Amino acid sequence: MAIDYSVYLVTDRGILDGRDLLKAVEAALIGGTSLIQLREKDISSRDFYDLAVKMKDLVNAHNVPLIINDRLDIALAVDADGLHIGQDDIPLGIARAIMGPDKIIGYSVSNLEQAQYGEENGADYLGAGPVYATGSKADAGMPIGPHNLKTIKDSVSIPVVAIGGVGMANINEVKQAGVDGISVISAILGRQDITEAAKTITAIWKAK
Amino acid sequence: MAIDYSVYLVTDRGILDGRDLLKAVEAALIGGTSLIQLREKDISSRDFYDLAVKMKDLVNAHNVPLIINDRLDIALAVDADGLHIGQDDIPLGIARAIMGPDKIIGYSVSNLEQAQYGEENGADYLGAGPVYATGSKADAGMPIGPHNLKTIKDSVSIPVVAIGGVGMANINEVKQAGVDGISVISAILGRQDITEAAKTITAIWKAK
């Protein structure tokens, strides 16, 4: 399965206002979302597993890879396409050793040292940010801004996805940094018409 | 490493009243605790991993196996001796497939159907309960009592450990059920002198 990082959706049931997560993700996939990361906190392992099984079927049916956030056990249990880990998760090198060479592993970074570490320890791509202030992730830390995003992108040879506060208003600024894609939550899932939002964001990203 | 289920300590930092968990477990090991399960909720994966690395060194240095509760990823990442899962965790058969045939897998059950399922799907032992009412685990469910504990024990050929409200006052009643060991939290970690509590419980368990 080819990996297209262009419009990378991270899930967050908290902003769905009661709407069904699977239906919301399906709407985003119809709109052109190219990669899905299932991110769940405060959920039992069994509930996470059950949801991930359904999510994998849905996402793969659209020829899109499914990445699991943080929980390597869930990624293995549902044979997900990859795992995304951050600084508060299990060490990258250990995740790579357990997942094997073929699964996608993403790594969240917010500075050059972390980016270097990620590239040297087996990450397939980096999620760099938060680029802008964001309400979607309480523990996201201080925004790094588009200039530092570019510095990170220029320092590594693996793909870099911009994350944190990225939406319609700043996609073009983010593109200037030369990154391989944008990771969004609320810019798609926070909209009433999710398919339309995904289409618009994909179109802006792909415009020359 | 031989598995001795006789006095099986499950950790709970909530009842330590600020005391250090590693020191508390060391005190319990000195007192004769035969098996340790590291159970953590509401902690980042990295903090769980870092704690589990230290716990494994400590526990294995006493020739005691370390079992990780729920989190198969942490068990794999620190190469723990085993994993304990319950009804709210990833499915038993999947855990066995990922962990391989050699790691210890324990399974929490509260009725005969679950016990049968556990034996048939790769559990090495069952944690049966809660036998009595307990304050240590909020989601433990209704007590099954010593009679049902015996029924569960008699229905399977794998070892059964009694869990839930087991302490000095009822060890002899639990022994009558013919189980292979007792799983305790507060009866050891809730005491001021943890080594002494572990010694006393071990002595009562081992007395004819």
Side-chain angles (χ1 to χ4, degrees), chain A residues 45-46 49 70-71 88 94, chain B residues 45-46 49 70 88 94:
Chain A
S45 294
R46 185 53 165 268
Y49 169 82
D70 177 8
R71 294 290 298 271
D88 291 336
I94 287 175
Chain B
S45 295
R46 185 52 167 266
Y49 169 82
D70 177 10
D88 292 337
I94 287 176

Side-chain angles (χ1 to χ4, degrees), chain A residues 6 11 22 30 32 62 66 75 91 95 99 106 136 141 149 151 157 184 189:
Chain A
S6 55
T11 69
L22 289 159
I30 291 167
H62 287 260
L66 176 67
M99 296 284 285
S136 304
L149 175 66
T151 309
S157 58
V184 298
L189 293 183

